[in-house]
Amino acid sequence: MALWARQVSRWCCLLQTALAAEFPRRLSARSSTTRGCRGFAPLAPLPSGNDVLPWRLQAYRHVSVGSCSPPGSAKDGSLSSHESNLPSPVKQEQAKAETLPDLNAKILYEDWDDIPPSSALEEISEEEAVQIIAEPLLPLQSSTLRDYVDHSETLAKLVHLGVDLSQVEKRQKAGQLLLNLDFEKDIRKILLFLKDVGVEDNQLGPFLTKNPYILAEDLEALETRVAYLKSKKFGAAEIAQMVSRAPYLLLFSVERLDNRLGFFKNELGLSVKKTKDLVIRLPRLLTGKLEPVKENLQVCQIELGFQRNEIQQIVFKTPKILTASKKRLRQTFDYLHNIMGIPHHMLTRFPQVFNSKLLRIKERHMFLTFLGRAQYDPAQPSYISLDQLVSLPDEVFCTEIAKASIQDFKKFLKTL
Amino acid sequence: LNAAARRAPRHHVRFLPAPAARDGGVAGLVATRVPVLADHPLVRGPRFRRLKMGAGHRLDVKASGVFVLGIGHGNKLLTDLYNCHLTKVYTVGGLFGKATDDFSDTGKLVEKTTFDHITREKLERILAVIQGTNHKALLMYSNIDMKTQEAYELAVKGLIRPMGKSPPIITAIRCLQFTLPEFQLEIHCLHETQQYLRKIVHEIGLELKSSAVCTQVRRIRDGVFTLDDALLRTQWNLESIQNAIWDCQLKVKTELEKTL
C-alpha cells in the first residue's frame, strides 16, 4: 500500500518536473489541499475514501495545468479499486501525505536553489501556537487614518484626548506627521507645555484638531515665543485665551509676531494698550493674512466714506469688520445708508449692524415700514435704536419693538 | 442630522496574551471585547457629508415664493409631480408708466408714458381677452376631441389640461388691486416661466396704450403646495423640515394617485 503510494507519487513528481514553472504554487496547493482534506476527513461520507481524496484533488490540479489529465484519471480509477476497502486512519494518511512533500522537496533541490518553505504540516507546540499573531497586513498607503488607528498607540491616545482624526486627515501632511510621531517621546512634552501655557484639558482635543502641526515644533522655539508675548506685557490668562482661540499663534516666529503687532498699531493708529486689547479679543488678526485687512480699511475710508477717527472707533468696537468680506460690507452699507437713510455718525455709534445678516436687517426694516414704525432718528419719538433692531431675537423684536404678533411677522415675510 | 444617533462602534474580539499563571506554564489567551477604534465617531467623521437634493419647478432670481425641493429618495416623486401638470398660482405686481428692456423695474429704461386714462374696467376687459385666447389654446393642447361626452364631463369638472409639453398657458387671470399707477394680478398658469409673466405685464401695458413694468412675481401655490406649508428662511432647520415633509406626504400621494 505504502509502496504503491510511493511509486505513484514518484510518477507524479516526474510528471511535475516537466512543468517547472508551476512548482511552488503546486506544492503549496498540494499542501493546502492535503490540509484541507485532513480537516474534512471526519466529514467524508466514505471513510475509506480518505486516501482517494488527495489524489482526486490532485487530478483537479492536473486538469488545471492541462497536460496530465488522462494519467491522472487512470490512476484514479486504479486506486479507487484498490483502496476502497482499506480503512485508513487519519494518521497514516498524514504520514503518507508528509512523505510526499519530502520527496517533492528532494527533487526540487535538484532544480532550484531555493529554501524550501517550511511545511505547514509540521507540528508545533502549544506555546508557539499561542504566540503566533496572524493579523491581516496594514495597507502601505491609505487616504484615511482609519486603517491605522487600531494599531498605533499614538493615534489611539490622541483619539482618547478628543482629537477629531477625520478632520486632521483632510489637512496636508498632517496625517503622515501624526503617524511618524511617538506619543511618549514627542507629543507628551508639547502637551505638557500647552497645559503650562494655560490651555484647558478639554480644549486640547479641538486645539490639536485645528493645529496638528504644533506637534512638530521645537519646544525651545515655543517657549521663546511665549516669553516674547509675556515681555510685551500680555498677562498669563490673556495668553491662554489667545492661544486657545487662535491655535496657529504659537507657530509664528518672534519676528513675525512683532511685525504684525507693529502693523496693526501703525495702520489703525491706536495706542499700544488699545491695540493689545484688540488683539486679545480677536487673536485671529495676528494669524490671518494682512492684505485683506488693508483692503478693508481702504474700503471703509474711500467707498463707505468714513473718517479716520470714525474708523478707529468702529474697529475698536467690532474688530470683526477687518476680516469681513468686502462685498458683504458694501451691500450692508448700501442698504443701511441709502435705503434706510441712516447717517454716518449713527453707524459709527452702532457698528454691530455691519456684523449681522443683511437679510435680517431687510426683513425687519420692511416690516417696520409696513407698520409705519421705521424711525431711526433719536430726535423723533418712537425711535428704534439700531442695535436693538439687529441683536434681539424674533419674539422680543415683535412684541416690544414692532408691537405686533409673531404670526403677523411671519405672514408678512411670506408676502415679500 | 449628524447629531442623530448612529450605529454603535463595532467590537472585535482580540486575543491578548495574559501573564502566565504558573512558571513555565502555558501562557493563556484572554479573549476581550475591545471596541474597534476605527469606528470611533472622532475617527470616522460625520455620518452625512452630503445630501442629494432636487428642485421642482424653476423660480428665477428676481421672483420669490413657494419652491418645492426633494431630498434623497423624494427626487423620484419630483418627476411624477412634473408629469401631473398642475397649475401654479402667481401674484404679479406691476407699475404703469414705464417700459424697460427686460420688462422688470430693475432694467434699462426704454420709454415713459402717461397712464391717467387707464381705469379698472379697461384693465379687466383686457384680462378677459387674454383669458379667452388662452382658454382656446388650452383646449387645443389638451388633445381631447371636443365632441365627445367624456370631454364635456371633464370640462364640467374643470379637469381639462394639457398632459404633455405645451407653450405657456394661462388658465385664469384676475385683478386683485388697482391703485394708479400700481396694480396687482393673480395668475393661474401652466408651463410658464417668470419672464413670460413679466412679458404679459408689458403686453397689458401696450394694449392699454401705455406701458408697464413688472415689480414683483411671487408664486403662491405650486400644485398641492401652498404658502401655508412653505417654510420661512428662519425655519430652515431639521425639525420644521421633517414636520413639513410629514404633513405634505399625504397630499402628494393622493394627488399622484388621482392623476396617474
Side-chain angles (χ1 to χ4, degrees):
Chain A
M1 185 53 217
L3 196 64
W4 252 111
R6 248 186 247 125
Q7 272 181 349
V8 175
S9 71
R10 209 173 282 138
W11 189 37
C12 285
C13 296
L14 283 170
L15 282 169
Q16 283 178 353
T17 47
L19 312 148
E22 306 283 346
F23 273 178
R25 185 174 67 82
R26 291 184 52 91
L27 188 60
S28 55
R30 170 93 67 77
S31 52
S32 65
T33 49
T34 44
R35 262 182 68 213
C37 68
R38 198 194 339 169
F40 282 125
L43 301 168
L46 295 161
S48 57
N50 289 346
D51 278 343
V52 183
L53 277 171
W55 301 103
R56 276 228 183 93
L57 289 162
Q58 226 177 15
Y60 274 109
R61 292 288 172 275
H62 282 293
V63 167
S64 69
V65 169
S67 54
C68 318
S69 38
S73 49
K75 170 180 53 123
D76 214 9
S78 59
L79 273 175
S80 56
S81 59
H82 265 268
E83 292 161 19
S84 52
N85 296 325
L86 292 169
S88 46
V90 180
K91 263 214 166 153
Q92 232 184 24
E93 178 218 335
Q94 270 180 27
K96 266 181 249 156
E98 276 179 8
T99 53
L100 295 168
D102 288 341
L103 283 169
N104 285 337
K106 250 206 262 174
I107 291 165
L108 269 182
Y109 283 140
E110 294 165 6
D111 278 13
W112 228 330
D113 298 334
D114 208 355
I115 311 165
S118 62
S119 169
L121 302 166
E122 284 171 15
E123 285 192 15
I124 49 176
S125 60
E126 281 298 313
E127 291 99 355
E128 280 179 56
V130 159
Q131 278 160 16
I132 293 176
I133 301 173
E135 278 177 8
L137 294 168
L138 289 178
L140 290 168
Q141 264 188 342
S142 161
S143 58
T144 76
L145 287 173
R146 271 182 80 184
D147 300 326
Y148 301 113
V149 80
D150 278 320
H151 306 280
S152 159
E153 270 215 34
T154 319
L155 289 177
K157 289 210 174 128
L158 285 174
V159 170
H160 288 307
L161 258 182
V163 180
D164 192 348
L165 288 180
S166 66
Q167 305 274 347
V168 170
E169 69 197 8
K170 288 182 194 163
R171 316 288 288 281
Q172 269 185 1
K173 301 171 200 155
Q176 189 62 40
L177 179 74
L178 285 184
L179 277 173
N180 287 341
L181 288 176
D182 182 49
F183 193 82
E184 291 303 316
K185 280 188 278 180
D186 311 313
I187 303 186
R188 190 176 275 275
K189 289 190 294 190
I190 299 190
L191 285 179
L192 288 171
F193 167 75
L194 285 174
K195 278 187 75 167
D196 283 333
V197 167
V199 182
E200 313 243 334
D201 290 342
N202 56 355
Q203 294 286 325
L204 280 174
F207 185 91
L208 288 175
T209 312
K210 281 189 230 163
N211 184 14
Y213 305 107
I214 204 173
L215 296 170
E217 286 282 314
D218 203 15
L219 200 56
E220 284 94 39
L222 291 173
E223 283 178 5
T224 8
R225 288 162 200 166
V226 174
Y228 167 75
L229 285 175
K230 285 203 178 119
S231 74
K232 288 276 174 178
K233 303 205 186 55
F234 285 101
E238 290 158 353
I239 297 183
Q241 203 194 8
M242 277 166 70
V243 167
S244 317
R245 284 170 63 187
Y248 279 104
L249 192 67
L250 290 176
L251 285 184
F252 287 0
S253 68
V254 175
E255 298 94 54
R256 223 170 153 196
L257 283 174
D258 205 20
N259 281 345
R260 281 168 185 241
L261 283 172
F263 167 80
F264 280 109
K265 216 164 64 127
N266 297 336
E267 284 288 325
L268 297 175
L270 296 171
S271 70
V272 174
K273 189 165 172 305
K274 282 198 172 176
T275 322
K276 273 197 337 202
D277 203 28
L278 200 71
V279 164
I280 293 171
R281 274 159 54 198
L282 193 68
R284 263 195 349 233
L285 284 175
L286 287 179
T287 55
K289 295 191 188 159
L290 294 180
E291 282 82 26
V293 172
K294 263 196 235 168
E295 288 171 13
N296 274 11
L297 284 172
Q298 293 296 319
V299 161
C300 283
Q301 201 172 2
I302 298 176
E303 290 185 41
L304 307 188
F306 283 109
Q307 306 290 331
R308 195 144 161 83
N309 55 344
E310 287 175 339
I311 297 182
Q312 282 178 4
Q313 276 187 29
I314 292 176
V315 166
F316 190 67
K317 274 198 185 161
T318 50
K320 259 188 162 177
I321 212 174
L322 292 173
T323 42
S325 89
K326 290 176 263 301
K327 190 170 128 187
R328 201 184 70 147
L329 259 185
R330 269 185 225 129
Q331 278 176 346
T332 321
F333 178 78
D334 179 45
Y335 192 77
L336 286 169
H337 190 61
N338 298 332
I339 300 181
M340 284 168 74
I342 299 176
H344 279 97
H345 60 264
M346 290 291 296
L347 288 173
T348 321
R349 274 166 64 184
F350 300 111
Q352 311 91 315
V353 291
F354 285 114
N355 276 345
S356 63
K357 286 195 245 199
L358 182 60
L359 185 66
R360 208 169 178 196
I361 302 176
K362 266 191 195 166
E363 288 173 354
R364 291 186 175 185
H365 172 70
M366 283 203 230
F367 190 50
L368 290 174
T369 22
F370 179 70
L371 292 174
R373 288 175 157 273
Q375 184 55 262
Y376 305 112
D377 191 2
Q380 308 281 342
S382 76
Y383 152 72
I384 297 174
S385 76
L386 287 175
D387 60 339
Q388 278 185 334
L389 178 77
V390 185
S391 51
L392 289 181
D394 272 340
E395 296 86 17
V396 182
F397 172 77
C398 287
T399 42
E400 307 221 346
I401 312 277
K403 313 249 193 296
S405 72
I406 296 209
Q407 316 304 327
D408 292 340
F409 186 45
K410 293 211 164 101
K411 273 193 223 163
F412 173 75
L413 286 181
K414 288 194 179 176
T415 64
L416 283 179
Chain B
L1 255 186
N2 279 328
R6 55 172 89 180
R7 66 162 202 239
R10 295 175 299 195
H11 285 55
H12 66 184
V13 184
R14 284 183 87 153
F15 292 98
L16 304 169
R22 328 149 261 214
D23 351 42
V26 177
L29 287 175
V30 173
T32 49
R33 286 178 78 89
V34 170
V36 174
L37 264 183
D39 265 352
H40 197 273
L42 283 179
V43 178
R44 207 155 57 157
R47 191 167 160 207
F48 294 104
R49 285 176 210 252
R50 298 186 207 193
L51 286 175
K52 276 203 187 131
M53 293 192 66
H57 294 110
R58 255 170 262 188
L59 201 63
D60 64 11
V61 180
K62 287 185 274 202
S64 61
V66 177
F67 188 45
V68 182
L69 294 167
I71 303 181
H73 292 294
N75 292 327
K76 295 175 208 159
L77 293 172
L78 278 178
T79 28
D80 294 335
L81 273 181
Y82 180 75
N83 293 333
C84 276
H85 302 283
L86 298 166
T87 59
K88 298 186 258 296
V89 181
Y90 286 84
T91 315
V92 176
L95 192 70
F96 284 121
K98 283 201 301 184
T100 55
D101 55 350
D102 66 348
F103 315 131
S104 76
D105 54 350
T106 49
K108 203 171 82 160
L109 196 61
V110 168
E111 64 170 327
K112 275 184 152 174
T113 56
T114 59
F115 47 83
D116 312 321
H117 55 276
I118 304 177
T119 62
R120 193 159 180 154
E121 292 86 35
K122 285 191 196 164
L123 181 66
E124 301 210 341
R125 213 174 298 156
I126 301 287
L127 296 181
V129 165
I130 293 177
Q131 195 166 336
T133 43
N134 275 282
H135 191 66
K136 276 203 203 132
L138 177 75
L139 294 176
M140 194 176 71
Y141 281 103
S142 58
N143 288 336
I144 298 181
D145 192 2
M146 281 300 126
K147 298 194 176 68
T148 59
Q149 177 66 14
E150 194 186 299
Y152 172 73
E153 279 167 17
L154 279 178
V156 160
K157 284 190 230 159
L159 287 176
I160 294 188
R161 57 182 193 269
M163 293 306 280
K165 280 184 92 94
S166 83
I169 296 183
I170 297 180
T171 51
I173 182 166
R174 66 187 178 113
C175 175
L176 293 175
Q177 279 180 28
F178 183 80
T179 47
L180 280 180
E182 288 177 3
F183 64 98
Q184 213 181 41
L185 305 172
E186 187 185 299
I187 307 185
H188 298 235
C189 42
L190 279 170
H191 303 153
E192 78 305 339
T193 58
Q194 283 81 41
Q195 193 61 10
Y196 179 76
L197 296 174
R198 289 188 194 108
K199 195 167 155 214
I200 295 277
V201 169
H202 179 253
E203 284 172 9
I204 290 175
L206 290 178
E207 291 282 318
L208 290 167
K209 301 189 182 56
S210 172
S211 55
V213 289
C214 172
T215 44
Q216 188 202 40
V217 177
R218 197 159 61 93
R219 190 188 280 163
I220 315 182
R221 200 191 144 125
D222 183 350
V224 272
F225 300 96
T226 60
L227 260 189
D228 302 324
D229 311 319
L231 294 173
L232 284 174
R233 186 68 181 272
T234 43
Q235 290 168 326
W236 290 358
N237 50 30
L238 185 62
E239 266 185 40
S240 352
I241 295 178
Q242 278 177 335
N243 290 340
I245 295 178
W246 195 246
D247 293 333
C248 294
Q249 242 177 15
L250 191 61
K251 278 198 283 187
V252 170
K253 226 166 66 157
T254 44
E255 189 60 40
L256 284 177
E257 277 166 27
K258 215 167 59 167
T259 320
L260 294 172

